[in-house]
Amino acid sequence: ERAYASSIEEFDDGTAATMESSSTSLLSSDLTLTDHSTDRDDSSYASSVEEFEGEGLFEVDDEECRFMHDQIQSAAFELICPEQRDSFRGKIGSILLQSLSPAELEASLFEVVGLLNCAASNITDEERDELAELNLKAGVKASENAAFDTA
């Protein structure tokens, strides 16, 4: 894992930031070639992804990419300051909540809620109400899945 972190640290700041933000995506380690988690434009993000692919860190298939190994994702995540990790996860969760279609949100509900829960201590009352509704929805979905599995 340390060797991967050393490789990541060699990238320029913008590219390394892209790798760090990508590391927080817990949705099956799949990312699209359009990033909404950093302030970088899409072409800059795509260029970073191409660089990662060239270094053997990402695998690109159509418009999706994934880390070649979970240890690469872990190494990239370790580069984020520990005090900022929960906030970062919450930001990714918020971006996903806003950008996913209802069907995509339903399919990724547990991951999105988990990300949002990481930053629950730093949200407004309105956001807390919305998060409570999402947690309830996730709980009902989990119960339904468990009931179906036992039937």
Side-chain angles (χ1 to χ4, degrees), residues 60-128:
V60 178
D61 179 27
D62 294 323
E63 286 296 307
E64 292 188 344
C65 58
R66 66 193 58 75
F67 288 91
M68 290 295 291
H69 195 282
D70 61 343
Q71 288 185 349
I72 297 170
Q73 184 175 8
S74 294
F77 183 73
E78 291 299 318
L79 295 176
I80 300 171
C81 177
E83 295 81 28
Q84 296 176 340
R85 289 180 186 161
D86 284 343
S87 173
F88 209 80
R89 286 178 172 140
K91 180 181 175 185
I92 300 296
S94 294
I95 291 166
L96 290 171
L97 182 61
Q98 294 169 10
S99 63
L100 293 176
S101 70
E104 291 171 323
L105 178 59
E106 183 65 29
S108 303
L109 185 63
F110 298 126
E111 291 89 351
V112 173
V113 169
L115 289 167
L116 292 169
N117 282 337
C118 289
S121 62
N122 299 322
I123 61 175
T124 66
D125 288 341
E126 184 179 318
E127 291 169 327
R128 191 173 312 283

